[in-house]
Amino acid sequence: MPIRQFQAQRMHAPRDFQAIAQQPVCVEIGAGKGKHALLFSGQNPEKQLIAVERTREKFLFMQKQHVLEGAKNLQPVHADALPWVVHALFPAQVEQFFILYPNPEPHNPAQRWLNMPFFEFLLSRLKTGGSITLASNIPEYIAEAEQQLIDVWKLPFIKEVIPADSARTHFEIKYLERGELCQQLIMSKPEAYATRFDDFQPLLGQSVDVAAK
């Protein structure tokens, strides 16, 4: 399906927005209660992970667990991911994005991640050689995303079946215990890959105006 250009100028900074340093980071979008975020930060102490969650109840649970475990390389953020990404992240800053078991949007396919104009902006924040991991228990969701990677985004990727003993998120545990097929696409950003947002710099919470190139 055709993808419109993302209208970044409509994105206002999230409430209580705080800028981040211009250094390499990993970002989990829709981190939920933080199971994967805590696991990843513990296993990768050399990497900085920002875990973004919109739902207040889930964010507070993640924040509480973070305080208990005390991982200094994890930063939970309570915000809607789209405006936060626009205002917080610098071009080619992100080493890895994780989007694990997102809402499949059964009644609104245009809101699925690889169908959104925003995905182009997300790619502009990913460094060359960086990766985006998208996981789902819905075969049709993965199949559609795979086709979009081929037809629209022109990105190299690998498709994997997630092992039955994997336990990265509460959803993943539940789906695998039911015997559902869980899969993931790990896409990477090749050398010289260009987007229309490669030169866009965040304005640290100010309103944004991006001119089309």
Side-chain angles (χ1 to χ4, degrees):
M1 66 179 66
I3 304 288
R4 295 175 290 107
Q5 182 170 348
F6 177 57
Q7 300 298 310
Q9 69 273 14
R10 295 183 180 178
M11 286 287 154
H12 298 288
R15 183 180 299 176
D16 302 323
F17 174 79
Q18 294 183 339
I20 66 169
Q22 191 172 1
Q23 63 184 24
V25 294
C26 301
V27 177
E28 181 172 1
I29 294 176
K33 294 181 177 180
K35 186 172 180 61
H36 173 263
L38 291 161
L39 187 67
F40 180 87
S41 57
Q43 293 174 343
N44 300 274
E46 77 289 356
K47 293 183 181 291
Q48 295 293 321
L49 176 65
I50 300 175
V52 184
E53 174 54 42
R54 179 175 58 186
T55 305
R56 179 172 174 80
E57 182 182 356
K58 291 179 180 178
F59 167 77
L60 290 174
F61 186 95
M62 171 169 56
Q63 188 178 51
K64 181 179 178 181
Q65 293 302 116
H66 176 230
V67 169
L68 291 173
E69 299 195 18
K72 291 188 173 15
N73 60 328
L74 172 61
Q75 179 184 347
V77 169
H78 181 215
D80 185 289
L82 273 65
W84 184 86
V85 165
V86 168
H87 285 271
L89 296 178
F90 293 85
Q93 180 181 15
V94 178
E95 298 177 313
Q96 293 174 274
F97 279 110
F98 297 97
I99 307 173
L100 306 180
Y101 303 96
N103 184 338
E105 302 287 355
H107 304 299
N108 194 0
Q111 290 298 309
R112 296 172 191 159
W113 283 98
L114 275 77
N115 296 346
M116 289 196 293
F118 172 74
F119 195 73
E120 181 182 3
F121 192 94
L122 197 72
L123 290 172
S124 76
R125 307 298 98 172
L126 189 65
K127 75 171 194 176
T128 297
S131 66
I132 301 176
T133 300
L134 174 72
S136 179
N137 65 316
I138 300 173
E140 296 80 10
Y141 189 102
I142 291 290
E144 180 187 67
E146 185 177 4
Q147 203 60 49
Q148 291 292 85
L149 286 172
I150 295 168
D151 295 342
V152 177
W153 304 114
K154 316 291 187 188
L155 287 173
F157 66 93
I158 59 174
K159 181 179 178 180
E160 297 178 340
V161 172
I162 296 168
D165 61 351
S166 187
R168 293 177 298 182
T169 78
H170 294 91
F171 282 127
E172 186 164 86
I173 293 169
K174 178 172 70 173
Y175 298 147
L176 290 171
E177 283 179 347
R178 289 178 184 168
E180 296 182 21
L181 174 65
C182 291
Q183 301 175 91
Q184 64 185 13
L185 299 171
I186 303 175
M187 53 207 92
S188 55
K189 185 176 179 178
E191 192 81 37
Y193 189 91
T195 80
R196 289 170 286 190
F197 300 99
D198 290 346
D199 297 326
F200 170 79
Q201 297 281 352
L203 299 178
L204 304 181
Q206 301 174 37
S207 61
V208 177
D209 189 9
V210 177
K213 294 184 180 179

